Amino acid sequence: MGADGQREELRKDFSAVSLFRFELAKRKSTDTMTGCFRMISATGRNVAAEAVVSGIYDICLENNVLKFSEDQVLYRDQPIQDGQSKPVAFQSEHRFYCEDGKLHYEYNGKCFDYDINTMQRVNSSDSFPPFVSIEK
């Protein structure tokens, strides 16, 4: 939806299928689960998650909702205008749950610009709406 509350044109087609590998471990020191995940393959073109690894933490099952937090390692290429890209990193929350017999997935991420000289995150003015996917 645009600033005027009206539907805008499709900005990106998320209909591609992506396969991710998750690795989890229960930490003896804290008795919590942590891990990582990365994309293995995707059907789309120019996939921004290529060669990106994310740490995951705060993994829990609460009220039949699987939740975890993600922190991208280093940065990824974020497509911008005129076919250009810029380095960014995301911190996000993921939720998986069943409703009406269908699997739902929610992604809510905060974008950071990435300074490749200092290898540090910088607050970004970019914001993205939550992403919701529902099994067909």
Side-chain angles (χ1 to χ4, degrees):
M1 301 299 256
D4 60 359
Q6 298 300 310
R7 184 176 299 275
E8 294 182 339
E9 290 185 33
L10 183 65
R11 293 186 190 178
K12 183 168 182 175
D13 180 359
F14 286 99
S15 63
V17 174
S18 299
L19 175 65
F20 291 85
R21 176 185 174 97
F22 283 76
E23 298 179 20
L24 302 173
K26 186 170 183 178
R27 304 298 174 193
K28 294 176 186 174
S29 59
T30 59
D31 199 35
T32 61
M33 296 284 290
T34 64
C36 64
F37 73 94
R38 65 183 178 93
M39 186 188 72
I40 302 296
S41 66
T43 60
R45 295 184 189 167
N46 303 319
V47 178
E50 184 178 56
V52 173
V53 175
S54 292
I56 55 178
Y57 56 97
D58 290 341
I59 303 165
C60 70
L61 183 61
E62 184 178 282
N63 298 322
N64 292 323
V65 177
L66 174 62
K67 302 176 189 179
F68 65 86
S69 297
E70 168 195 7
D71 201 348
Q72 283 187 352
V73 177
L74 296 176
Y75 61 93
R76 70 175 220 186
D77 290 327
Q78 180 67 31
I80 56 174
Q81 292 126 347
D82 302 322
Q84 301 294 311
S85 295
K86 70 175 186 173
V88 301
F90 282 86
Q91 283 183 324
S92 58
E93 295 178 356
H94 300 254
R95 296 170 27 108
F96 295 86
Y97 58 93
C98 282
E99 186 175 287
D100 298 325
K102 303 284 186 178
L103 178 63
H104 288 61
Y105 168 66
E106 296 178 3
Y107 172 92
N108 193 5
K110 176 172 174 35
C111 181
F112 293 87
D113 291 332
Y114 201 86
D115 184 328
I116 60 167
N117 295 314
T118 64
M119 302 301 280
Q120 299 291 315
R121 293 177 180 192
V122 180
N123 282 329
S124 175
S125 61
D126 294 342
S127 64
F128 298 88
F131 171 81
V132 178
S133 179
I134 302 172
E135 176 184 16
K136 288 187 176 184

